[in-house]
Amino acid sequence: MMFPQALAAAVGKVQARLAQELFPFDDQPVVHAMRYALAGGKGLRGFLVLESAALHGVPADAALPAAAAVEAIHAYSLVHDDLPAMDDDDLRRGQPTVHVKWDEATAILAGDALQTLGFQLLTDSVLGAADRRLALVSGLARAAGAQGMVLGQALDIAAETAARPLSLEEITALQAGKTGALIVWSAEAGPVLAGADPAPMRRYAKALGLAFQIADDILDIEGDPERAGKRLQKDMVAGKATFVSHLGLEGARQRARALVEEAEAALAPFGDRARTLREAARFVIARDM
Amino acid sequence: MMFPQALAAAVGKVQARLAQELFPFDDQPVVHAMRYALAGGKGLRGFLVLESAALHGVPADAALPAAAAVEAIHAYSLVHDDLPAMDDDDLRRGQPTVHVKWDEATAILAGDALQTLGFQLLTDSVLGAADRRLALVSGLARAAGAQGMVLGQALDIAAETAARPLSLEEITALQAGKTGALIVWSAEAGPVLAGADPAPMRRYAKALGLAFQIADDILDIEGDPERAGKRLQKDMVAGKATFVSHLGLEGARQRARALVEEAEAALAPFGDRARTLREAARFVIARDM
């Protein structure tokens, strides 16, 4: 299957699993806000989980809760990131952000509950050995917490009031936490569930995650706000250091291309079976949204 | 051991476990804020986990991560609850709340990371069967999420703008989520880890949790702000429905006493071994902070 079709199929499965999970929930605004925040995402992380599972002989049913879990954690981070005290964004995926559509209290609570939902999903119905499922929970907690995603977001916010712009090394470290940790966890889910060596998938995902962030910085300069569904050039206006401000547009494009080659090389042990993941890496830097 | 000594001993162990867990974390404001939020709590939930474990023959070492986990989840909920968009409290345990001492972004992130830490702790080093550890993770996710604690908090915030004050049944349902779910999970941790019947501990904890909330409402009217370390009479000033506004002070005291008797009765199967938990129930309604 080609990447766009494979991604759409993954998004469909993950959205259905999330809808099923939320179905018995109490009919409160916070639950409506959770559903809203889960809808319309690119679904890259969930796709990585399903693809990584298929590559390691893990049945799709066994991997689906993990794919839904990482999308819930990702959605929680976006809802909290958009809050006035954080990035103060009023548009996301072309729609009003949660605190704009509802209010700040609902956005804080919906984000909180989406994080909880992520861990709940991981324990619900994943087939396979309990020890491997625990390893997944533990890994997601590390990726999402104060040593992973939350650390990256904290560094990002601190950078806004720092005396000098961040160095390239600092931006890279920030990205590794803010978006990289969840992407690496997603790609490693397959080998973890299969009890296989996670090293090739980790190398792939580290390069992919960094390429993804660089593409995001390029898109922030060159993108069409209509297609991107969010305000652009916020970083540039704020004078924030990005991969583009350090490397220039052409330098950033070159770096992203080199990372995609690195990601493809990491997949060598899987031969032709990894062609969708190879294509995913190429799409990440070619995307326009 | 008498309850105050047993509680102090539990708090000491849990605080040491949390300090050990946070020790390798990156030295960021968000980590300082996490430590700050974890310090100085009453520690009732962690105590319940350790006591419930002891009652079911589970070694203290095997239960300690679960005790630390529930204190981390509880701390996260307090940090987010205190935010301006939620209860807007500037004092907690006699100290400035996290968003006052740092800022809102740090408080949101510290709360987020404390929730993640809770789930991480549960998977780290709990001894015993992996399936039981997964049952603990799953139970905590349900207790903390949009069907438990977050639901209770959402109902609480909705009540502030509701056309009529909440009924006694509605307040009871709200409390069951907001504070009850974590207390029940804490008390059930012992039988879950031991593979024993959780029903007696559940009955105990449901009555204890409700008595605890009624005592809180009484304290909000009668308490000394100095000793309580937080602003009091906020509910009364806001015209919010509480157990006291429905039952009156004397009626609320009677209801709390009846619940304590119910909690003690639930412990009958454990005989004299449950005397510390019996005492805990009596202290909960006698407390002045």
Side-chain angles (χ1 to χ4, degrees), chain A residues 25 80 112 115-116 130-131 138 141, chain B residues 80 112 115-116 123 130-131 141:
Chain A
F25 276 40
H80 281 189
D112 288 346
Q115 175 172 191
T116 319
D131 279 323
S138 172
Chain B
H80 281 188
D112 288 346
Q115 175 173 190
T116 318
T123 63
D131 278 325

Side-chain angles (χ1 to χ4, degrees), chain A residues 83-201:
Chain A
L83 284 166
M86 308 269 276
D87 290 349
D88 195 13
D89 274 310
D90 51 10
L91 211 56
R92 156 92 52 197
R93 299 163 181 169
Q95 302 289 330
T97 46
V98 174
H99 66 274
V100 170
K101 197 166 163 81
W102 283 270
D103 51 48
E104 277 187 60
T106 304
I108 293 167
L109 288 172
D112 288 346
L114 282 167
Q115 175 172 191
T116 319
L117 180 70
F119 291 109
Q120 181 176 323
L121 273 159
L122 277 187
T123 62
D124 266 4
S125 53
V126 188
L127 304 174
D131 279 323
R132 292 176 191 171
R133 291 156 62 190
L134 270 176
L136 275 190
V137 182
S138 172
L140 189 57
R142 284 175 195 284
Q147 290 172 293
M149 192 170 69
V150 167
L151 173 62
Q153 288 170 342
L155 292 172
D156 203 14
I157 284 178
E160 282 171 23
T161 54
R164 55 166 185 78
L166 295 185
S167 70
L168 200 55
E169 289 66 36
E170 287 169 326
I171 297 177
T172 308
L174 186 161
Q175 182 282 329
K178 185 169 174 169
T179 60
L182 278 198
I183 288 179
V184 169
W185 179 89
S186 303
E188 283 184 351
V192 169
L193 282 171
D197 178 17
M201 291 304 290

Side-chain angles (χ1 to χ4, degrees), chain A residues 21-22 24-26 28 30-31 34 76 80-81 83 85-86 104-106 108-113 115-117 119-124 129-131 133-134 137-147 149-151 153-155 157-158, chain B residues 21-22 24-26 28 30-31 34 76 80-81 83 85-86 104-106 108-113 115-117 119-124 129-131 133-134 137-147 149-151 153-155 157-158:
Chain A
E21 192 71 21
L22 284 171
F25 276 40
D26 210 87
Q28 292 288 325
V30 69
V31 177
M34 290 168 76
Y76 121 66
H80 281 189
D81 239 17
L83 284 166
M86 308 269 276
E104 277 187 60
T106 304
I108 293 167
L109 288 172
D112 288 346
Q115 175 172 191
T116 319
L117 180 70
F119 291 109
Q120 181 176 323
L121 273 159
L122 277 187
T123 62
D124 266 4
D131 279 323
R133 291 156 62 190
L134 270 176
V137 182
S138 172
L140 189 57
R142 284 175 195 284
Q147 290 172 293
M149 192 170 69
V150 167
L151 173 62
Q153 288 170 342
L155 292 172
I157 284 178
Chain B
E21 192 71 21
L22 284 171
F25 275 41
D26 209 86
Q28 291 289 323
V30 69
V31 177
M34 289 167 77
Y76 121 67
H80 281 188
D81 238 19
L83 284 166
M86 307 269 278
E104 276 187 59
T106 304
I108 293 167
L109 288 172
D112 288 346
Q115 175 173 190
T116 318
L117 181 70
F119 291 108
Q120 181 176 321
L121 274 159
L122 276 187
T123 63
D124 267 5
D131 278 325
R133 291 157 61 189
L134 270 176
V137 182
S138 173
L140 189 57
R142 284 174 196 284
Q147 290 171 293
M149 192 172 67
V150 167
L151 172 62
Q153 287 170 343
L155 292 172
I157 283 179

